[in-house]
């Protein structure tokens, strides 16, 4: 039996959803999706109200359309419509890396900045449907840039600042962006991040007509290429603050966000306007029980989907005050999160297990130095949270007072699919609990057979929800293949899960070749192709292995070219190489020299065995009789033991 933390009486009474309401709303959402989602769409301001609500199919060519005859502007919904009632309310609290610097941006100021930037973009020739790549740190300009794109109907593609020039170039090229918005440099944990320099390097691999619009942030002296690089500062000063929002169809694209899969290069996940915003806003309101007066802080980066949906779009569509943090949890000290919570009187705090684990390691004392009295709700996202970490988060950070919502979702899902609602669903540490309105999860075995009752299997979705991705940008066939071909008629998440006797879902992690390192999603294939691009490497196989802080670490088996000797220097060189190719987030944790890799007679690498060896589980390797050369396994085990 797992522990249960029942909904408190106070939460049941005061939150926007109690048990009965959850059950009723859920039931209606799956029995009458058209009626339910038509009603939920009323939370937005439409230029043309949708009359066709759901038009989706997971069969054949796969079609996902929501609100398809509706028209709206996402930026208008996140900014303009709040001006009358909350023009002077703070929309964004910006907390800099330096603890002495912060800024508060009201909805009125946000409107002005976004309109100006939208006009700057227009003056650069950016039109509806054009793609704009955003490569910015966690500064307000990132929010302005995303909203300005939405305002004029341009499709943004945000690239996380921790990606290398090569990764940035791939994403610019795939999206065929003609403009990259960046800044001179970023700063995280007191360390400089050379964003403009990276963008310069990336552009060496892009068409000559790609331009850079650069904001100044750290004041770093950076070279500006004439005719290509544009200084945003003077243009923003001169630009008009009047820019009417573009009329957009609900199914017009809002953004592309690249994410890793089992195979090949990262895919451009495409989200559209109407359904995405309804879903992001509704989940933000219900899962976090957001109410006027809350100070809401999601610690993610806008380079990831969590930042899109739950720093920016969901909260702003709800007229919230959202905190944007430039720094890291451990700078200038390990009390930074708690200091920020006290400084800004944060009421809702949403972070990742990896951050909690690293802070938990330092004990209770640093947390106890802070008050945290303002907190009323905690959230977790990005990877499974171990029950003992959950309990520490609950007891120490939340003083046993704050419920924890463990939210399971993906870049592809646009918003939270499985999570507790704090006033409606009893909590079990380690379980994401129950599906959100309209979400129909199921478990299937490896043959695609639906499993009933308590079971463990592959997590699929039976039907669509408004926040679902619509396609892989420029490659609909890949979309169909990746998500709908493994189990016919279902959306396959790539995750495994267990369902208990109460119908609660327990996510067990990825069942494909995707790994989750500190909440960052990486394809093992990407790391492998980076490694084999090094001249000394003949072959490489990469797997995830359990890591106390990161959740999973990156374990690389490397076979060197015949004439190359392994050495400590070469090991370091390969780590640096992968960082350069993909970015610092892909730093290998372990490189093990492998004279050979375990392959079947048809040449397929048996990753199952490699995962076991990496995890130091040597007893239970399963059937090795189909291997072309079973002796390599013994050798790998010996090498692993001596690491
Ligand atoms: O494996 C699941 C894990 O993160 C994957 C999605 O990664 P990404 O697209 O980068 O989005 C992360 C933020 C939504 C999932 O397939 N994951 C995410 N949230 C949880 C989780 N695993 C367990 N519990 C969660 N709450």
């Amino acid at each position: 039996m797992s522990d249960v933390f029942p909904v408190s009486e106070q939460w049941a009474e005061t939150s926007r959803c109690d048990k009965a309401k959850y059950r009723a709303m859920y039931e209606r959402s799956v029995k009458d999706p058209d009626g339910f989602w038509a009603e939920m769409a009323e939370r937005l301001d439409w230029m043309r109200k949708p009359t066709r609500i759901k038009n989706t199919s997971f069969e054949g060519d796969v079609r996902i359309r929501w609100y398809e005859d509706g028209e709206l502007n996402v930026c208008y919904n996140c900014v303009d419509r709040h001006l009358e009632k909350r023009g002077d309310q703070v929309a964004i609290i910006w907390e800099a890396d330096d603890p002495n610097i912060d800024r508060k941006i009201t909805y009125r100021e946000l409107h002005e900045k976004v309109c100006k930037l939208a006009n700057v973009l227009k003056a650069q020739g950016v039109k509806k449907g054009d793609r704009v790549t955003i490569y910015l740190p966690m500064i307000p300009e990132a929010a302005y840039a995303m909203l300005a794109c939405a305002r004029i109907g341009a499709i943004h593609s945000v690239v996380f600042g921790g990606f290398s020039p090569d990764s940035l170039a791939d994403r610019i090229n795939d999206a065929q962006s003609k403009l990259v918005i960046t800044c001179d440099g970023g700063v995280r944990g007191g360390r400089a991040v050379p964003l403009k320099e990276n963008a310069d390097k990336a552009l060496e691999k892009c068409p000559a007509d790609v331009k850079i619009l650069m904001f100044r942030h750290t004041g770093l002296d950076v070279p500006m290429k004439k005719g290509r690089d544009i200084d945003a500062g003077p243009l923003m000063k001169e630009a008009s603050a009047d820019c009417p929002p573009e009329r957009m169809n609900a199914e017009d694209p809002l953004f592309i966000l690249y994410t890793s899969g089992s195979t090949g290069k990262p895919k451009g996940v495409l989200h559209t306007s109407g359904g995405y915003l309804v879903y992001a806003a509704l989940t933000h309101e219900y899962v976090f029980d957001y109410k006027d007066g809350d100070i809401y802080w999601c610690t993610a980066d806008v380079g990831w989907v969590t930042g899109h949906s739950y720093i920016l779009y969901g909260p702003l569509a709800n007229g919230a005050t959202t905190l944007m943090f430039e720094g890291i949890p451990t700078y200038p000290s390990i009390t930074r999160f708690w200091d920020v919570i006290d400084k800004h009187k944060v009421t809702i705090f949403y972070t990742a297990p990896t951050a909690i684990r690293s802070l938990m390691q330092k004990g209770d004392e640093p947390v106890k130095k802070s008050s945290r009295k303002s907190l009323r709700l905690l959230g977790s996202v990005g990877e499974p949270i171990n029950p003992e970490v959950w309990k520490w988060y609950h007891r120490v950070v939340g003083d046993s007072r704050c419920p924890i919502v463990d939210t399971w979702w993906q870049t592809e899902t646009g918003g939270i699919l499985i999570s507790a609602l704090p006033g409606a669903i009893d909590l079990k540490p380690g379980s994401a609990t129950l599906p959100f309105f309209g979400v129909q999860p199921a478990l299937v075995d490896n043959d695609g057979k639906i499993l009933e009752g308590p079971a463990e299997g592959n997590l699929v979705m039976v039907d669509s929800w408004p926040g679902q991705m619509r396609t892989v940008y420029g490659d609909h066939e890949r979309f169909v293949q990746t998500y709908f071909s493994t189990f016919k008629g279902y959306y396959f998440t790539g995750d495994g899960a267990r369902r208990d006797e109460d119908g609660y879902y327990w996510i067990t992690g990825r069942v494909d070749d995707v790994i989750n390192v500190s909440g960052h999603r990486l394809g093992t294939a990407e790391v492998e192709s980076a490694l084999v691009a090094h001249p000394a490497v003949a072959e490489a196989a990469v797997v995830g292995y359990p890591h106390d802080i990161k959740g999973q670490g990156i374990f690389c088996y490397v076979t060197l070219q015949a004439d190359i000797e392994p050495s400590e220097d070469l090991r370091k060189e390969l780590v640096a190489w992968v960082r350069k190719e993909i970015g610092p987030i892909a730093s290998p944790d372990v490189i093990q020299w492998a004279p050979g890799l375990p392959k079947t007679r048809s040449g397929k690498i048996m990753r199952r065995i490699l995962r076991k060896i990496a995890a130091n589980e040597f007893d239970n390797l399963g059937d090795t009789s189909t291997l072309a050369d079973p002796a390599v396994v013994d050798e790998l085990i010996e090498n692993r033991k001596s690491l």
Side-chain angles (χ1 to χ4, degrees):
M1 273 302 277
S2 51
D3 301 309
V4 180
F5 290 67
V7 172
S8 72
E9 237 168 72
Q10 190 212 344
W11 269 90
E13 273 166 27
T14 58
S15 80
R16 66 180 65 252
C17 192
D18 62 12
K19 285 188 182 172
K21 187 172 172 195
Y22 167 70
R23 268 196 300 270
M25 281 179 78
Y26 182 78
E27 194 122 309
R28 165 140 193 258
S29 71
V30 296
K31 285 202 175 128
D32 173 22
D34 280 333
F36 179 84
W37 288 113
E39 204 177 302
M40 293 305 127
E42 284 170 15
R43 63 170 38 252
L44 299 187
D45 283 13
W46 296 83
M47 292 162 166
R48 177 168 183 234
K49 228 177 131 168
T51 62
R52 290 207 292 275
I53 306 302
K54 179 175 188 282
N55 177 4
T56 68
S57 163
F58 287 178
E59 307 280 341
D61 208 23
V62 181
R63 177 187 67 249
I64 295 155
R65 288 184 213 135
W66 286 87
Y67 307 118
E68 59 186 318
D69 62 347
E71 287 174 352
L72 79 169
N73 182 279
V74 166
C75 177
Y76 177 88
N77 274 279
C78 291
V79 185
D80 305 46
R81 66 166 174 158
H82 303 312
L83 289 179
E84 202 181 320
K85 221 178 102 195
R86 23 177 130 243
D88 296 323
Q89 183 199 309
V90 174
I92 298 175
I93 300 174
W94 180 65
E95 170 78 16
D97 189 58
D98 177 340
N100 300 310
I101 301 175
D102 60 23
R103 210 189 301 158
K104 293 189 169 126
I105 299 142
T106 63
Y107 273 96
R108 203 178 313 288
E109 286 170 53
L110 181 62
H111 180 257
E112 185 192 323
K113 289 289 183 2
V114 169
C115 287
K116 279 175 166 268
L117 183 50
N119 280 326
V120 170
L121 295 179
K122 276 189 182 169
Q124 293 305 320
V126 179
K127 298 180 304 299
K128 179 172 175 173
D130 288 350
R131 279 77 56 208
V132 173
T133 297
I134 299 175
Y135 186 60
L136 282 170
M138 287 290 286
I139 55 176
E141 284 73 11
Y144 305 157
M146 292 162 78
L147 291 165
C149 286
R151 192 167 192 86
I152 63 172
I155 307 167
H156 60 69
S157 160
V158 183
V159 178
F160 176 59
F163 278 117
S164 68
D166 279 3
S167 297
L168 174 62
D170 285 346
R171 287 157 173 77
I172 295 169
N173 290 333
D174 186 83
Q176 299 154 295
S177 293
K178 290 287 173 264
L179 184 73
V180 180
I181 306 180
T182 190
C183 69
D184 45 6
V187 50
R188 286 185 83 223
R191 296 225 304 250
V193 188
L195 292 165
K196 171 64 164 60
E197 191 185 320
N198 287 353
D200 286 342
K201 284 189 196 147
L203 258 56
E204 287 167 16
K205 300 191 170 168
C206 300
D209 58 347
V210 178
K211 294 203 156 103
I212 291 182
L213 178 67
M214 191 193 82
F215 284 93
R216 300 214 178 250
H217 176 49
T218 55
L220 202 70
D221 189 19
V222 290
M224 297 292 276
K225 190 167 166 184
K226 238 179 134 194
R228 186 196 74 178
D229 298 349
I230 310 148
D231 201 330
L235 298 183
M236 284 291 279
K237 271 211 191 85
E238 288 157 22
S240 153
D242 179 25
C243 176
E246 192 78 29
R247 204 177 176 93
M248 304 295 287
N249 180 272
E251 282 300 339
D252 281 336
L254 177 63
F255 66 86
I256 300 168
L257 188 55
Y258 286 85
T259 196
S260 300
S262 289
T263 54
K265 292 210 172 210
K267 316 176 264 291
V269 166
L270 185 96
H271 283 288
T272 58
S273 304
Y276 170 80
L277 195 63
V278 169
Y279 198 76
L282 187 72
T283 45
H284 174 259
E285 183 174 302
Y286 275 85
V287 174
F288 301 107
D289 189 50
Y290 185 82
K291 295 194 179 115
D292 271 354
D294 271 319
I295 305 290
Y296 164 87
W297 181 16
C298 164
T299 69
D301 191 286
V302 288
W304 309 113
V305 75
T306 311
H308 283 58
S309 301
Y310 298 114
I311 292 177
L312 207 65
Y313 288 118
L316 294 184
N318 291 337
T321 299
T322 180
L323 195 149
M324 193 174 181
F325 177 43
E326 184 184 27
I328 58 171
T330 48
Y331 177 84
S333 83
I334 55 165
T335 61
R336 185 66 190 274
F337 271 179
W338 328 126
D339 297 342
V340 174
I341 288 173
D342 283 352
K343 177 178 179 190
H344 297 292
K345 305 279 177 291
V346 171
T347 57
I348 304 170
F349 179 66
Y350 187 32
T351 193
T354 187
I356 307 167
R357 282 192 298 262
S358 73
L359 297 171
M360 177 177 153
Q361 240 195 5
K362 317 278 182 199
D364 302 5
E365 272 326 296
V367 189
K368 294 292 178 197
K369 281 196 226 150
S370 61
S371 148
R372 286 158 292 100
K373 260 211 202 86
S374 54
L375 283 178
R376 65 183 193 95
L377 181 68
L378 302 172
S380 171
V381 61
E383 32 166 344
I385 178 163
N386 338 37
E388 62 287 7
V389 176
W390 191 105
K391 286 184 201 161
W392 183 83
Y393 192 27
H394 187 262
R395 179 175 55 80
V396 180
V397 177
D399 280 328
S400 304
R401 179 185 73 235
C402 308
I404 298 177
V405 289
D406 175 3
T407 64
W408 175 86
W409 59 296
Q410 311 178 292
T411 306
E412 292 88 337
T413 70
I416 295 163
L417 293 197
I418 303 182
S419 168
L421 305 187
I425 297 173
D426 298 336
L427 308 172
K428 296 187 191 183
S431 169
T433 78
L434 298 173
F436 191 72
F437 310 135
V439 174
Q440 300 179 60
L443 299 176
V444 297
D445 68 12
N446 288 340
D447 301 320
K449 195 171 97 351
I450 291 269
L451 305 169
E452 306 288 348
E456 181 160 350
N458 302 294
L459 181 65
V460 299
M461 295 296 148
V462 173
D463 203 354
S464 182
W465 61 98
Q468 186 170 23
M469 74 182 282
R470 302 304 196 250
T471 192
V472 169
Y473 182 73
D475 196 349
H476 192 69
E477 183 50 33
R478 190 170 174 201
F479 174 61
V480 177
Q481 276 305 317
T482 308
Y483 302 105
F484 301 92
S485 69
T486 319
F487 304 111
K488 283 266 171 282
Y490 303 118
Y491 165 78
F492 179 38
T493 63
D495 277 320
R498 183 166 68 76
R499 188 175 48 226
D500 70 15
E501 58 290 348
D502 298 320
Y504 276 43
Y505 286 87
W506 301 72
I507 308 298
T508 50
R510 302 288 304 199
V511 294
D512 55 8
D513 291 318
V514 170
I515 52 178
N516 197 325
V517 184
S518 302
H520 300 320
R521 178 168 159 183
L522 283 171
T524 52
E526 284 170 75
V527 185
E528 285 164 10
S529 50
L531 282 167
V532 296
H534 189 281
V537 176
E539 204 171 18
V542 173
V543 296
Y545 76 107
H547 188 289
D548 283 349
I549 303 292
K550 300 179 178 184
Q552 281 188 300
I554 305 177
F555 195 108
C556 311
Y557 295 91
V558 172
T559 308
L560 294 173
Q561 302 283 8
D563 52 342
I564 308 275
E565 283 300 314
S567 69
E568 211 33 53
D569 282 348
L570 182 54
R571 204 192 293 267
K572 284 196 191 121
E573 189 178 318
L574 290 180
V575 172
W577 176 268
V578 175
R579 288 172 66 98
K580 178 186 85 55
E581 292 273 308
I582 305 177
I585 57 167
S587 279
D589 294 283
V590 182
I591 290 185
Q592 175 174 324
W593 308 118
L597 293 170
K599 291 184 188 166
T600 61
R601 284 183 202 99
S602 59
K604 200 170 165 276
I605 295 175
M606 292 191 72
R607 289 164 183 286
R608 177 175 53 80
I609 294 175
L610 293 176
R611 277 195 281 265
K612 290 256 158 137
I613 296 175
N616 272 317
E617 290 171 18
F618 307 128
D619 300 336
N620 196 358
L621 291 180
D623 185 11
T624 54
S625 64
T626 55
L627 287 178
D629 176 13
V632 299
V633 172
D634 299 327
E635 206 162 357
L636 289 178
I637 291 177
E638 282 320 304
N639 288 356
R640 174 72 179 106
K641 283 182 179 160
S642 61
L643 264 185

